[in-house]
Amino acid sequence: MTVAFKSTPSPQRRISSPVDLPSIQSKVVPFDQARKKRVKAALTNTVPLVNPLPTSTVVKTLPKPQPQPLWLTSIIAVQKVSSVVTSLIIGSTLTVYGLTVYGESSWTQEYPRLEKLRATEQQLRTAQELLKNEIAIAADSPATGLVVPQPGDMIYVEPAKPRPHPSPEPTAVIKLDPIPHSTLNRPLGY
């Protein structure tokens, strides 16, 4: 979109009435003409002003802010600190809540698997005891060739003689001087 700018009329110039131009199929609308239409619409809807143009363009400075009392600044500081603490508490509460919900949902999903593993463990223990029982029954039958051990069939092995302990190598004896001679007089803390 293109906008055409004209200089604003100065207070000494007389504002002329808008000229109605024949409508052209163009999207370019003069900025001044659009502004005049808006001003005219605003003037017809509101009470007319006595002097529509400002007489002076002096910029007024804002007054300096007055210092706040001590009680008010302390209340504001307490509010800021409490809002930060509240935000931290809310954040940690939401984090703990999220972790709790996540833990419970994962526990709910894994609990059937745990029960299945427990049932499998019970079946394995039962199968192991059945195998032990079958082996014991098979060992009792004479066709296997297994014999009950008799005390006379035992073989005794005499223990070997203990090995001699290796003697430690003699170490050189270092004699320490009971009174050290200090060449420098300085405190022991250095």
Side-chain angles (χ1 to χ4, degrees), residues 90-106:
I90 289 172
S92 62
T93 303
L94 290 176
T95 302
V96 168
Y97 175 74
L99 290 175
T100 303
V101 169
Y102 175 74
E104 288 179 1
S105 67
S106 62

Side-chain angles (χ1 to χ4, degrees), residues 56-63:
S56 66
T57 57
V58 177
V59 177
K60 294 181 181 179
T61 59
L62 292 174

Side-chain angles (χ1 to χ4, degrees), residues 25-184:
Q25 297 294 336
S26 173
K27 294 183 180 180
V28 177
V29 177
F31 183 71
D32 195 32
Q33 188 179 16
R35 188 182 63 192
K36 284 179 185 177
K37 284 182 182 179
R38 280 195 312 262
V39 168
K40 209 181 244 187
L43 288 177
T44 56
N45 294 338
T46 62
V47 178
L49 298 173
V50 176
N51 190 3
L53 294 176
T55 57
S56 66
T57 57
V58 177
V59 177
K60 294 181 181 179
T61 59
L62 292 174
K64 291 186 179 182
Q66 296 177 356
Q68 296 175 342
L70 181 62
W71 62 270
L72 183 60
T73 53
S74 63
I75 289 175
I76 290 172
V78 167
Q79 180 207 8
K80 289 179 181 178
V81 169
S82 66
S83 64
V84 168
V85 168
T86 304
S87 299
L88 291 175
I89 289 173
I90 289 172
S92 62
T93 303
L94 290 176
T95 302
V96 168
Y97 175 74
L99 290 175
T100 303
V101 169
Y102 175 74
E104 288 179 1
S105 67
S106 62
W107 171 256
T108 304
Q109 291 174 355
E110 294 295 323
Y111 186 73
R113 183 175 174 216
L114 175 66
E115 288 299 318
K116 185 178 178 183
L117 288 174
R118 283 181 181 166
T120 306
E121 179 186 17
Q122 184 68 26
Q123 290 172 356
L124 287 174
R125 284 186 182 174
T126 305
Q128 182 182 9
E129 293 301 322
L130 285 173
L131 283 175
K132 281 183 185 178
N133 191 26
E134 287 180 18
I135 290 173
I137 291 172
D140 284 343
S141 70
T144 58
L146 296 175
V147 223
V148 178
Q150 300 295 326
D153 296 338
M154 296 179 111
I155 300 174
Y156 291 101
V157 179
E158 290 186 27
K161 294 181 180 177
R163 294 182 184 174
H165 294 293
S167 62
E169 295 180 17
T171 57
V173 178
I174 300 173
K175 290 187 177 181
L176 297 175
D177 192 11
I179 302 172
H181 298 292
S182 175
T183 56
L184 297 173

